[in-house]
Structures are given as C-alpha cells and as structure tokens.
Amino acid sequence: MGGLFFVAAVTSLVISAAILWSLFSNGWEFLTEVNWGHVFGSDSWSPRFDEFSIATLLVGSLIVTGIAMLVATPLGLGAAIYLSEYARPGVRTVLKPILEVLAGIPSVVLGVFALIWIAPEVVGRLFGEEHGRGGTMMAAGIGVGILTIPLIASVSEDAMRAVPSSLRQASAGLGARPISTTLRVVLPAAISGVVAAFILATSRALGETMVVFIAGGAADQAQYTNNPLDGSLTMTAAMASLAVGTDQVRGASLAVPSLFFVGIVLFAFTFGLNLIADRFVRRVRQAY
Amino acid sequence: GNSDDDGGGGDGASNLTGSLNISGSSTVEPISSLVAEEFSADNPDLKIAVDGPGTGDGFELFCQGQTDISDASRQIEPEEAAACKKAGIDYVELAIGFDGITVMTNPNNDDVECLSFADLYALTGPESEGFENWSDAQSLASELGSATEFPDETLDLTGPGAESGTYDSFIELALTDIAEAQGLPENQLETTRPDYQSSADDNTIITNIEASDYSLGWVGYAYAEQAGDSVKELEVSAEPNGECIVPSDDTIANGSYPLSRTLYIYVNKAKAQENEAVSAYVDFYLSDLDTWVTETNYVPLPDDQVEETTSAWSSFNGS
Amino acid sequence: MTKVTIGRQSTATEDVPLGQGIEVAHQGEANAASLPVVFTVKDLSAFYGDFRAVRDVTLDVRQHQITAFIGPSGCGKTTVLRCFNRMNDLIPGARTEGTLEYHGVPLYGADVDPVEVRRRIGMVFQKPNPFPKSIYDNVTYGPKLFGTRKRADLEEVVETSLRKAALWDEVKDRLKESAMGLSGGQQQRLCIARAIATNPEVVLMDEPCSALDPIATARIEDLMQEIKTEFTIVIVTHNMQQAARVSDSTAFFSTEVNPESDRRTGVLVEFDKTETIFSNPSDERTENYITGRFG
Amino acid sequence: MTKVTIGRQSTATEDVPLGQGIEVAHQGEANAASLPVVFTVKDLSAFYGDFRAVRDVTLDVRQHQITAFIGPSGCGKTTVLRCFNRMNDLIPGARTEGTLEYHGVPLYGADVDPVEVRRRIGMVFQKPNPFPKSIYDNVTYGPKLFGTRKRADLEEVVETSLRKAALWDEVKDRLKESAMGLSGGQQQRLCIARAIATNPEVVLMDEPCSALDPIATARIEDLMQEIKTEFTIVIVTHNMQQAARVSDSTAFFSTEVNPESDRRTGVLVEFDKTETIFSNPSDERTENYITGRFG
Amino acid sequence: MAFSTIGSSGEAAIHGSVADALRGRRRSDTRGWAFEIGLLASLLICLLILGALILTVVTDGMPVYSDRGWEFLDGGLSSIADRAGISQGIVGSFWIAVCVVVVAIPIGVGSAIYLEEYAPRTKLTSFIELNIRNLAGVPSVVYGLLGLAIFVNTFHGFSGADGIERSTLAAAGVTLAVLVLPIVIITTAEAIRAVPQALREGAYGVGATRWEVIRSQVLPYAAPGIFTGSLLSIARAIGEAAPLIVIGAVTGFFSAGEGLNAQNVTDPSHLSERFVALPSIVTTWAKQPDEEFKVSNAAATIIAMLVFVLLINSIAIVLRNRFEKKRSS
Ligand SMILES: Nc1ncnc2c1ncn2[C@@H]1O[C@H](COP(=O)(O)OP(=O)(O)OP(=O)(O)O)[C@@H](O)[C@H]1O
Ligand SMILES: Nc1ncnc2c1ncn2[C@@H]1O[C@H](COP(=O)(O)OP(=O)(O)OP(=O)(O)O)[C@@H](O)[C@H]1O
Ligand SMILES: [Mg+2]
Ligand SMILES: [Mg+2]
C-alpha cells in the first residue's frame, strides 16, 4: 500500500520536472536565436516585429500587481482581523462565506467584470470618463486585486488564529482594550503569517492571466508605458495573446518560443516569491 | 452514435463523417463559421473546427497541411505560396466577398472628416514614427500634396496586429505605393510605424477608438458597422484632395471605395480529393454565398464574380 | 477504617493535632475578620450559555489575605475566579447570576467597564503566557497601556515589579531578550511581574504552579507570601498541600451530577479559615477530598 | 519539623504505623517475588531524537501484579510505559537504549513486529479515546482485526469484555449507539473493555483516571483489582493515594536538570513494594514527593 | 494608585471612589470603535463587490435566458449572436471535471496519505512537500505551457492525432487535473493532519497495522475534509481559462455532436477531439466587437459557469462548516 502512495507522492516531482523541461526545451530556441538587442534595447513588445522588450512586460506586470496589492492588502487584512479578532462566532459563520465565495469566482469572470463594470464605473468615475471607456492596467489591476483579497484574508486570518488565545487573555487581563490587544499583541505575533499572505498574493497577482488579458487594454503588442491609465501587456497577458493569435503556429518566427521565454521569466519570479513566502509560513507554524 | 434527425433540417442529410479543419483570417472566420454551422446541421457526425488566428497564421498551417481550408482576407503572398509548394500542397483560391477597411476616429473629433492615402501615410506610415500629435504629421502630409488641416491634438493611433489580414491590406492599399515613391528601404515598404497600439482583437481597437477624443484607427468594415455610433467612420480618398468616399455596401461592391479588399478561402486540393467532407463543404459554401456574406455583415460579390468563383471551383472539382 | 499518615519525615511517629500540622505562613488570624472585605459574593451562579457551570457560591475575600479555591477538576474554580475580573466576558454566552460586589460595587453593574475592572484586578494564568516579546516589553506592556511613557518611569516599574516577582537577579542583564527563552518557572514569575506592574489591588491566580517543577513552585509560593502585604490574592489550586501551605482562607468546591442532563454542576461546599478546612472540615465531602480518597 | 497527617476520618487521633495504613488490596506479598517476571528492564534509556527523556530505568514487572509509575510531570512515566508496547515507534526519532525484555525476548529486537507486541500488550490512554463508532464496534475492533468474524463469537467477546470492564449493565441496551455519547468515565471503561477484548497478557494504563471524576475513578480502581487476576497491569498515575490504594509495586521517577542543555531528564529514583515506597522510602526525593512538599 | 490607602479609609468612601473609577471610559473609546468599524467596512466592501459582480452579470445575461432559455444551453456555437449556444462548452467543462475526478483526486489523496502517514522525516520528504507547496503557486498559464509541450506536442493529446487535432479535450482535462493536483494534496493532507492522534494510538494500541489504522480510522474521520477539498479543486478546474487557451481551445465554430442530451454529454469520444469549454467561450466572446456577444452572451455563459462553480463551492463550504461544528462540540 505504502509503495503505491509513494509513487503518487513522487508524481509531484515529475510534474515539476516536466514544467521545467517544457519551458526550457521550447524556450531554448528563443534564448539562443534572439537578438538580445531586441530584448533589452527595444521599447515595445511586438513579437511579429521581432521586438521583445521584456521591460515593457515587466513594468506592465509591476504596475498591475502593484495596483492589485494596493486594493487587496487593506481589504484582505481588514477582513481577516475582523473575522479573527472581532466577529462573534455567529457573525463569523455568516460573513466568512463572502470571502470563500469570492475566492471561488473564476478569473475569466472577473476579467469580464473588470472590462464591463470596473472600467466605466470605477476607473471612469475616479480618473475621468475617458479612461473608463476601455480596458486599462488600472481596471485590470483592480480586478486582480479583488481576485487576491480572499487569499490575503484567509492566510493572514489563519496566522492570527494561530496566536494562542492565552496571549489575548493575558492582554485583556491587564486591562487592554480589543484594539490594543489586536495591534500590540496579535498582529506582532502573527506578523510573519501576514507577510507570507502578502507575498503569496503578490505571486498570485503576478501570475494572473485572464483578467489582464481581457481587461488590460492591449493585445498582441504593447508600447512601453508606465502610466496605469494606459493599456499595456503583462507577462501573462502577452502569453495569452501569443497563444490566441498563434496557438497553432509552429516555430515560424520566434513568436512561439518567445511565449515560452516569457513563461520562464514568469516562472522564475513566482517561484522565488513562493519560496520566500514558504519560509514565513513555516515560521508561523514553528512559533507556537 | 448520434441521432441523425436534428434541428438543422435543411436539404437532404448526407451525413458525412470524419473531420474538417478550417483556420485563417479572423475577418473571414464568421462567414466560414456560419457555413460550417449550417453544414454540420446536415452532417451531425462530421467534426468541424473553425479558428481565426489571422491570415498569416492560417497560411502557416495550411502550407504545413494541418488545415483543409484557409480563410484569407488577402491573396496568398509569394513566400507563403513558396512554402506551400515546398510542402507539395496544391490549392484553389476562391473569392467569396468583400470587406471594406474603415478608417475611424472618435465621434467627438469634429476636426477630421476625410483622409487621403497621403494623410494616412503621414499619420501611420513608417516615416511617422514618433509623431505624438496630429499636427506633427502636417508637414509630411503637405509635402505629399495633401491640403488636409490636422488638429493640434494628441494622436492616439490604434489598429490590427501584423498577423491580421486587415493589417496587411491596409498597408498594401494605402501605404506601400507612397513608401516606394518616398524611396524607403525594402524592409520599410511593408510596414506601418511600429509605435502604435495594435491588437489582433478588433474589439480592443474599437474600444481604443472610443477611449480617446482624437484617436485614429482602422478596422474591418463589418466591425466598424457593428460598433455603430460609438465610432466615427471617416471618408477616404485615394488621391490627395481627391473625391472623398464614404464606406458603404455599394461603394465597396462597385470598387469606388479605395480601402476595400476581397475575401478568399483557399482549399487544399489533395484533401478535397481524399476527404469528401471538404468538397461537400465548399459546394455548400458556394451554393448560397450571398446569404452567408450578408448575414455576417460583409459585402457580397457582384454576380459576375460569383460566376468566376463557382467556375474556378467546379473546374477543379469537375476534373 | 484505617488511615494514611503522610509525614514530612517518615521516621516521625508521635501524633500531632491536625491544626498545627499546617505550616502556617500567616500570624494573627484572630483579626482576619476585621480586615476590609474586597469581594462580597452571595449565591453566585455562573453560566455558559444555558449550562450552569457552578452555583450557590457565597464567600468574602478580605484584603491582604490569600484565599484559595480547591476542588476536583471541573467544579468551577476557574469559572468563579474569572468572574472576579470579568474575564468570562470574553467567552460568548458566559454570564452570572447572584451578587458579586467589589468594595460594594456590583461588578456586573450596567455602567461598569470590564476593562477598568481588569486594570484593578490582575490575573495570572494556569499556563505561563508571556508575550513573544522582550522581558522588558512584557513588564511594561500594562503601564504603557495606561499612558506611562517616560523611559525612567518604565525602567523603574520594570525593576520594582521584577524584584517583587523575585526574578530581577536572574534576568536583569537580559531584559531585552525574548521572554520565550525563559524557563517555565521564570516565565510564570514574569507573568506575575507583568500583572503587578500595573499595581492592581487584587491578583487572581489560576493554578499558577501546575505547569511548574517543584523548585519553581516553591519560589512562587514564597513569592505569594511576600507580596500579600501589598495585594489581595485569590488562588486556584489542585494541590491541597499548596493550599494548606499558602492560604489564609480556603473555599472547597465540588461537583454534583444533575440527574436529567447528567452534566456536572459545581457547588461551593465549604468556605472557612484554611486551618479549619484542613483540621476539622464540617462537610464530609471536604473531608473525603482532603484525605485524598478521590483524585 | 512538623508533619501533616491525612486521615480517612479527621477525628481519628491514634497513630498507626504507615504500612498497614494502606488499604491492601492484595494478600501474601511474601511470595510476590516468586511470581514470574513479565518485563525485565535494565538501564533503559528513552530518547526523542537526541534528547534523552529518561534514563537508568531498572525494574521487573511481575505477572498478575499492578505496577505503578509515579513522579512529577515530565519525568518520563508515559515515555517508559509507551516503550513497553513500542507505542513510541509512532513518534519519529523516538528510540531506546538498554535492556527491555518481555518474557526474556528483547522487545526492540530486530525481528520483533511491533504490531504483534501490541496485540499481546494492550494500552489504555490518559484521555478516553473511543473510536467515533458504536460501542459494539469499539469492542469488536480488535477481535475483528485478528480474524474473529462469527457474529456469535463477537457478541460473546463484547459481553465478556464489557462485563470485565464493569460497563455491561450500563450499556447492554445501547450497544449500537455511538460511544461518543458516553460519559468520560464510561468512555474510559469502554477503552479498557476494548483493550482486554483481544485478551492481551498485559494492560498498560497511562493516568486512566486523570480525566475522570471521583466516582468514575473509584469504579476503575475497583475494576483494576478485579481484572488483575487475569492480566498484568502497569499504571501511570499522578495521584499518590491512587498508587497507594491499587498497586503492588511502585516506581518513583523524578527529573534531573541537565546543567548545560537545561533540559530535564527523567530518572528512576526508587522501585519497590508499594508499602515500602510509602512507609519508608530509602530516597529522600521520594519522601519529599509523597509527603507532597512539592508538585 | 487609588487603593494604596484602602486599609485605613472607610468602606463607604472606597465604595464611592471605586464606583466612579469603574464607571470607566466605556463610551469614550472612540479609537477602538472607529477601528472596528473600519474592519467591518472592509468586509462589507467585499460583499459589495460580490453584489456588483453578480448584479452586472445577471442584468446583462438574464435577458438571453428569458428570451431563449433552454435553447441557449442546448444550442451550439454560432457566428450569429442570437443563435449561439454553449452546449459544446458544457460538454467540455463536464469532461474536464471528469478528468479531475479520475486523475487528480486519486493521485492527490494518495500522495497526501503517503506524506502524512507513511513518509519518514527525510530530506526527500520535506523536499516533496516544499515542491508541492510551490506547485500550488505556479501560475495557471504556465501549466498551459506544460500541457502544450507535453500532453499536446509530445503525447499527441492522447489521441494519436496530428497537427492541430492534437489539441484534444483529453489533453486539456489532464492539464487541469495536474493544475489542481497540489490543491487536492494540500487540502487532503490538512484533513488527515486534523485526525486526533488519540484515534490512531487507540487503534495501534489494540494491534492494528498501519494500513488498518488508515483504513478504519484516519480515512473515515478525514473523509469530509477530503471531499470538501476535492469539490473545491473541481470548481477551480471548471473555472480555469488560461491553460485552455494556451493548449488551443477552438475559437470559431466547433461542432461536437449536437445538443445537451445525456447521451451526447457523456459520450467519451469527445475526449479525443478538439474542444471548447465554458471559460474559453467566455474569453472568445468577451473579445468580440459585437455587443451581443461581448456583453449578453458572455454574461449568460458566465451565469451558467457561476451556477456550477458556486454551487459546488457552497456545497463544499457548508459541508466543512457542518463538520467543523460537529467536531468542535
Ligand atoms: N468556555 C466554556 N464553555 C462551556 N463550558 C465551559 C467552559 N469553560 C469551562 N466550562 C465548563 O464549566 C465547568 C467548570 O469548568 P472550570 O474550568 O471552571 O473547572 P475547574 O474547577 O477550573 O477545573 P480544573 O480544575 O480542571 O481547571 C466544567 O464543566 C467545564 O466543562
Ligand atoms: N513526542 C515527544 N517529543 C519530544 N519530547 C517528548 C515527547 N513526548 C514527551 N517528551 C519529553 O519527554 C519527557 C518525558 O515526557 P513524559 O510525557 O514521559 O513525562 P510524564 O512523566 O508522562 O509527564 P506527565 O506526568 O505530565 O504525563 C518530557 O521532557 C517531555 O517534554
Ligand atoms: Mg481551572
Ligand atoms: Mg504522561
């Protein structure tokens, strides 16, 4: 029996190996044949012009992820604190599902939502109607943010609930009000969990595809821009566009290999973030 | 094991089996899809798939023998033809309808009504790289003999990506000749300025047009029509200060509208012979060309050209 | 009916009247009754939801005395203790009935702020629960809450509290180190220091030694004797010898099984001077318990 | 030096030599030594990873006797007990050194199958841990594992085991109901029934009463006396009076603080006839402990 | 402090001082009050967003159902907006879910059992665990690349087909199964970790072998948790679009048998054919210029998808809460 289960467990290793192999065996062509001047020199991502400005995509991803975190961190953390420190059990069982349902919303749905509602109703109202007529990095960023709220909330809530109630009692026993207990005892004790939540969410936002693809305001090709109210491509959106436009093109230009090249870059980033987050999460586990 | 009677009804369920793969121009895709839909109503067990990655990508596949039929919004190019030949793929080219390319701006833009090819070249050609304002193009335009007054407003340029037939056609129709006249190097004859917001997705183009008051862009006639009043369709003249023509079914069909193009399907002869479904599909396609094309908001061929197409097909199919 | 005599020295054979048997850490019991009453408890019942955890508690806690609660597990000692500073407010559905007055003020009165109550009535818990912060921050946590900001004042508080908690010498060189690094016994004394740092009038202790080894236990028992001159102490303990050693008055709780619900409800069996409880308890259950027939 | 006398009746005044003081549930101690040895333990040490939890354990467990382990918390009682049926194998990194023989067979011998060991040496745990199944399924769990399938046999096993566990009368009408519905005491007796249902030779009990109320405790103590004629029993307890009441031999463990690592390691201080341990222990630490100065 | 002098002063005096001391600043604690409001607000904003989302989708999508109802679900893809239906999408999503159940859940539960019950505390084990936690964080689009390179290009979509016909439903299903595998493993592992050690010891104590303990105690106790985790992972798989696009879901017309009859839906031959699924349809339509596709049809498809996804999710959530309550009491 054990042997069987062991095999099952090992498949996860096989998968990781397969991922790396897929990325590099296909990305290799790009890495070897591309004119690197067009990767670092250029200021536009347009694979069909052999313009592979990775900077454009990185900045795009940076902006979208940044906006997402600005939206998700306060909301997610606030919700987590309320649920773990303030909500009475009854209230909790009513409110928690909100986050869980939100967590269940597929990203395509949020993409469409970002395009047909967030863009006009939120971005349009906040930054001027002309910015709300179509997809922008702002609209996409907000969409991605909404997508990551539940992640931040659940991970940091777990961390705060892991703080032994004896500490809360000690604080209350000294005449501390809930706010002091929360800010001076619980949060500091749970800090690594909260950080982990933040990092995990960042990595999730970085890897989120559909929202940006649908509501990011660009497809297939983008000029370098650092204005959140422009449309542009993130790494993921660029991959999706390449796939839609080219999923059946076999190796004519460097377009398809570039798909895997971006894949490598994206994988590297998220992998790094996940590793760091994992450190923090485990610190929480060891703490008590 | 599917029930043969079905919603489609239609003329005589021949009920073919096997599979049929069509790819190519995203402009033609709706037409071929519609045909496929009706066709599979009669042949429920036949697997048909229609994709629209773009004319260029379509020919890639076609010339690798991966697809049976390739939709195209322009004629096959020499390199592509060569690729087909190399792979020993022989094909018939069938014209099926017209698509106008509509040049658009934002409805709020009252300063521009009509643009000549010269103006378009000045605004979108390779030489215009870096122009931020309409007025930046003024000198180049006048240099080319145009008298159009450009507003001093930021120029938000948007159009299809290089993979789409619309992109190629636009260059062919509007830019290449002038580019040659300007004596540009080879590699710049076939391109626009690289620095514009391009998209494979006509919807993005439309929304980009909507997004800025002094936007400029071009897109397939059908899409522009569907977008309705959210965009402003510009008149076009071939010659500087020439006759401005508004895109419409008539002006396109009678060829007076300079920015219109013919739509094609390319059929792989070998596949047509070995796969009954292919020829049957093409027969069905041509049997009612007018309906398909109009239903999908394109401009049908005049009768004489319909004749040419059908004869071209039957001459191959007959033999 | 035979009996077990457990002697400090097993060689001892001569018999001694029980009373003196107890090592008395407190003289002049005579005037105990004259000391001011801090808590007045009459017919107190405590509920969790609609489960009555303990009932019929009637006793007085007097100033500068150590009052011990003993009794089998689940008899409501902790529950009653936690009513004294309204810690039970933290448990949803917990409530009380009957009289519980603190200097004549009904503790559960409508306009009483539990936070204020806890500022005057400190608590030490069964498991040492220092904050995962430095020793210094642990002790200054309370004072800072109440607005003591000046460094000098804080440092003074830290030293005096740690001295009172007999911990100063062991930690004075490592005040900035994490409290988690201390041994269990040290952590518990730190918690006591933390509790008295805000200079409360009463300190409640819930089995403060149950998690500690014998030596640490002894330290804390001595400590209680020293600080009782400043504070009023109520202590819950499982250990009868401990109660006998340290307390002035003892309340013995037991449980009665409620026939229909067969949940057990705690009752106060007997409350009296510690020596009385241990020498000639008036209730047979008390006797059985202290003679250790039941665990 | 005064001493505490804890008597069955506080009115009793005459002194009685300690020995007889213990209610002796077992006659003819004289030939105890002649009873066959079940476990031979020599210089046993138990480790968790590289932390030595307990060392220098040397004792014999004899058939049809009740052997008690007492000592302060953390001194390794549970650890040693769990070595006796290799329960510690479940804890990663747990291992032993020294001799531990069961009828002369080294329990940790290479070719010994821990599963087989546990089939002969049953265990009852500190917290009652019935399976979330029916009472019937709980008792038959073991026998079914060992291939008893016939309904009749199983039903017989259930009745006899429950009778031995003094639980039959209370549950005979509700065998199919969930065991979780029983009271703590009943659950613990059910666990005993479950353990003896596979009729092992030895039953190990780790503080079987610590979670129970006095009445339940008494029942289980009586129960032990009844079943000791069939089984050999090793019991860990915190409660000295309990050890004194039920056991024939007692092992007293204590802890020594290791100066550098300052982790505490358990040691066997003294092992002897129960009455000896309680009447005149040869080691002063034992004496301090049983006189309850500490803990 | 007010009480240093208590011993000497009279009871009455004290009573007074204590009384107003205790009356306290209950109402004056505005900071704490504002803080709590702020926290609650952030939760309510989430609720608001959820409401807006569902409202938008419903207002845009419902008309399609009120006009065409079953027709929309039963119909096939079409380039005519008011003919277009999503039956092929439903078929695709159905089989994707099947792949998850058949591939991901057995392997996932198996690995979890190994890691929690068998694995020795070795470097390899902790490496496997770390590896799984990282897989859980790999972007879905990267899994798409995996599927494209391995299941499509290398394994020919498990159908032996060539060219674009290698992009089969089977390839997509397996890709998504792989994508949710880490989720299954992690949730199952948590469920198993929640089994009280006392239960295991009880079983070992009467001489059960490791497998007997797992079968008779661990799995039954962990079952609800495992079930919940599996449901959540199915929901996740049904909602994923990016990998499908990368693998090559059909973007135009696509015929896959006809209609939404049980016989057609459950016909396994779909696995070896090219595919669409609900999320890929949403993507294609959301990118059409025609408002009828972009808004109405896309929203209607989303409604269909959300019904599935949220239904599965809420079953899972309710189940878990139910058992959490049971266990805690
Ligand atoms: N938070 C709670 N909710 C519900 N019931 C509780 C709670 N805390 C304690 N009880 C119940 O109240 C009764 C008294 O519990 P309490 O902890 O006061 O006993 P105790 O005398 O302190 O026991 P111990 O000596 O084990 O600490 C018990 O029956 C217990 O089950
Ligand atoms: N699983 C474990 N891993 C590491 N150390 C352990 C483990 N279990 C017990 N210990 C340590 O071994 C020592 C002995 O523990 P053990 O539980 O045997 O003591 P005990 O005498 O049973 O205490 P108690 O009377 O509280 O049950 C203690 O220092 C404890 O911290
Ligand atoms: Mg208690
Ligand atoms: Mg123990």
Side-chain angles (χ1 to χ4, degrees), chain A residues 44 46 48-49 51 115 130-131 133-135 217-223 231-232 244-253, chain B residues 51 53 57 60-61 64 66 106 108 161-163 167 191 194-201 203-204 207-208 210-213:
Chain A
S44 87
S46 39
R48 281 130 195 310
F49 286 108
E51 298 280 351
L115 183 63
E130 71 276 13
H131 296 296
R133 294 180 194 153
D220 187 61
Q221 180 178 54
Q223 281 301 305
S232 183
V244 167
T246 62
D247 51 10
Q248 301 104 334
V249 178
R250 298 287 182 265
S253 70
Chain B
D51 284 309
D57 296 344
E60 296 277 0
L61 294 163
Q64 291 167 357
Q66 290 202 33
N106 188 288
N108 307 348
E163 80 289 353
Y167 173 85
T191 72
D195 56 339
Y196 74 99
Q197 192 56 261
S198 96
S199 164
D201 160 14
N203 172 45
T204 313
T207 45
N208 289 349
E210 295 169 354
S212 141
D213 284 350

Side-chain angles (χ1 to χ4, degrees), chain D residues 100-177:
Chain D
L100 170 53
E101 289 178 354
Y102 173 64
H103 292 299
V105 183
L107 264 184
Y108 279 84
D111 57 354
V112 174
D113 174 1
V115 171
E116 283 309 319
V117 172
R118 298 186 198 119
R119 291 182 178 194
R120 284 189 180 54
I121 305 173
M123 185 151 201
V124 175
F125 300 84
Q126 180 160 5
K127 254 179 91 286
N129 59 351
F131 302 136
K133 306 178 169 195
S134 75
I135 296 171
Y136 182 92
D137 293 341
N138 265 276
V139 181
T140 54
Y141 181 81
K144 276 185 185 155
L145 285 181
F146 311 152
T148 315
R149 286 266 163 280
K150 281 230 251 38
R151 225 161 156 299
D153 304 357
L154 288 173
E155 275 165 359
E156 191 198 327
V157 172
V158 171
E159 174 159 358
T160 46
S161 319
L162 286 173
R163 281 197 187 286
K164 286 182 194 156
L167 191 60
W168 175 250
D169 298 331
E170 296 165 51
V171 301
K172 61 172 178 298
D173 324 323
R174 43 195 273 222
L175 293 174
K176 294 289 172 209
E177 289 174 25

Side-chain angles (χ1 to χ4, degrees), chain A residues 36 88 95 97 106 111 116 129 134 137 140-141 167 185 222 238 247 253 260 262:
Chain A
W36 288 94
R88 292 180 157 276
L95 290 184
I116 67 183
E129 188 264 338
M137 286 191 277
L167 292 186
V185 175
D247 51 10
S253 70
F260 287 88
V262 182

Side-chain angles (χ1 to χ4, degrees), chain D residues 77-79 126 206-207 236:
Chain D
K77 307 182 292 295
T78 299
T79 304
Q126 180 160 5
D206 187 356
E207 303 186 28
V236 169

